[in-house]
Amino acid sequence: MECRVLSIQSHVVRGYVGNKSASFPLQVLGFEVDSINSVQFSNHTGYSHWKGQVLTADELHVLYEGIKLNNVNHYDYVLTGYTRDTSFLEMVVDIVQELKRANPNLVYVCDPVLGDHGSMYVPQNLHPVYKNKVVPVADIITPNQFEAELLTGKNISTEKDAVEVMDLLHKMGPDTVVITSSDLPPRLGDRFLVSFGSKRILMPDGTRTTQRIRIEVPKVDAVFVGTGDLFAAMLLAWTHHYPTDLKVQHILNQCMAGPGRRPSPAQLELRMVQSKADIEDPTIVMEATVI
């Protein structure tokens, strides 16, 4: 049975971020992907130079109206990532709500991109839009620690804090919350990064239970662009197919410039095509701990 995703994210001519990071792995895993490019740039902004255009909220509306007029606005998933404009984000919410009215089973996967390591890298006026409008209509969200703290107003300094923050995010709307990275000390040593996940499950008798996990992910000694977009896409795919098999590590390992070399932005682009086998059949190298 066909499963179709509407992905509203950035696009680059060269490299992999946004829709370029999300579309290929989703298609490899059997999803039809309809992409709306929130920006079209020559390359990501980590390079010395970039050129391109930004889609406005009105232009987003026009594109969606074209889809709707042809009666092909039927989706199983919506996937969104980075944006810098409040009106664009509000238009996304309007589209998601309309699609959910047409298909109550639609799942909205949202990466609420606000910032990291204590500082925002989007305009501050996006914060209340995410908190009050976007997160309440989302089904799956993938904030980092800073974003989770910002959305809930609660700091995370212990595992107990992380669980409480995920519970607060559940109360805001989403049934699945993944804190993709945290500053908490890993039990396996400094070469690992601590992530958390929480999922509300409706039981056959009508009651709800919550499953929570902790995962320690091996670090890769480089800063990549597009990994959050890739992770959200893989999370969408594997929660649809096999909820326990999440894997992006091999794709990152394909990107290294070599021992003793400082990689350029071009060398740090994700090697998506070379990683096709890892996307299709991931190797499990980490185990989740139930908390």
Side-chain angles (χ1 to χ4, degrees), residues 4 33 91 97 113-114 117 144 159 161 189 212-213 236 246 272:
R4 189 168 290 270
V33 182
M91 181 60 66
Q97 289 174 324
V113 181
L114 290 164
H117 302 300
N144 57 38
E159 184 177 285
D161 292 336
R212 303 182 185 92
I213 60 169
L236 184 161
L246 299 177
M272 206 69 72

Side-chain angles (χ1 to χ4, degrees), residues 204-243:
D205 62 1
T207 60
R208 283 186 178 272
T209 186
T210 304
Q211 292 183 349
R212 303 182 185 92
I213 60 169
R214 170 191 175 115
I215 304 175
E216 300 208 1
V217 184
K219 288 182 181 179
V220 176
D221 188 21
V223 177
F224 297 93
V225 176
T227 52
D229 309 315
L230 172 63
F231 177 80
M234 296 290 280
L235 181 65
L236 184 161
W238 290 112
T239 53
H240 179 83
H241 289 306
Y242 306 103

Side-chain angles (χ1 to χ4, degrees), residues 21-22 25 29 180 193 195 215 217-220 224 226-238 244-256 270-272 274-286:
S21 279
L29 291 170
T180 55
L193 189 71
S195 302
I215 304 175
V217 184
K219 288 182 181 179
V220 176
F224 297 93
T227 52
D229 309 315
L230 172 63
F231 177 80
M234 296 290 280
L235 181 65
L236 184 161
W238 290 112
T244 59
D245 286 346
L246 299 177
K247 187 74 172 77
V248 297
Q249 190 75 13
H250 279 194
I251 299 170
L252 302 184
N253 287 337
Q254 296 269 13
C255 304
M256 301 309 291
L270 299 179
R271 301 295 190 257
M272 206 69 72
Q274 295 89 333
S275 302
K276 179 175 177 288
D278 292 315
I279 294 169
E280 291 178 299
D281 187 20
T283 303
I284 298 176
V285 297
M286 63 197 88

Side-chain angles (χ1 to χ4, degrees), residues 8 55 151 176 187:
I8 306 175
L55 195 73
L151 290 168
T176 301
R187 294 166 185 163

Side-chain angles (χ1 to χ4, degrees), residues 86-228:
T86 55
S87 60
F88 190 94
L89 199 53
E90 288 168 343
M91 181 60 66
V92 167
V93 172
D94 290 343
I95 291 171
V96 169
Q97 289 174 324
E98 182 169 316
L99 292 174
K100 282 194 170 193
R101 286 193 291 270
N103 175 17
N105 294 319
L106 180 141
V107 174
Y108 174 28
V109 182
C110 172
D111 183 4
V113 181
L114 290 164
D116 204 357
H117 302 300
S119 61
M120 293 182 67
Y121 42 63
V122 299
Q124 300 233 359
N125 57 2
L126 262 72
H127 174 219
V129 179
Y130 271 114
K131 182 175 181 178
N132 300 322
K133 296 183 178 182
V134 179
V135 173
V137 300
D139 301 282
I140 300 173
I141 60 170
T142 60
N144 57 38
Q145 176 177 330
F146 173 71
E147 291 160 344
E149 291 173 335
L150 206 57
L151 290 168
T152 60
K154 180 177 175 59
N155 291 332
I156 298 174
S157 56
T158 65
E159 184 177 285
K160 181 174 179 290
D161 292 336
V163 169
E164 291 174 358
V165 164
M166 290 190 293
D167 285 346
L168 288 171
L169 289 167
H170 283 316
K171 289 177 182 176
M172 293 169 68
D175 282 333
T176 301
V177 176
V178 177
I179 299 178
T180 55
S181 62
S182 75
D183 298 326
L184 297 187
R187 294 166 185 163
L188 297 177
D190 292 341
R191 297 179 63 84
F192 288 80
L193 189 71
V194 180
S195 302
F196 296 94
S198 181
K199 183 176 179 65
R200 290 192 303 191
I201 301 169
L202 184 63
M203 304 300 286
D205 62 1
T207 60
R208 283 186 178 272
T209 186
T210 304
Q211 292 183 349
R212 303 182 185 92
I213 60 169
R214 170 191 175 115
I215 304 175
E216 300 208 1
V217 184
K219 288 182 181 179
V220 176
D221 188 21
V223 177
F224 297 93
V225 176
T227 52

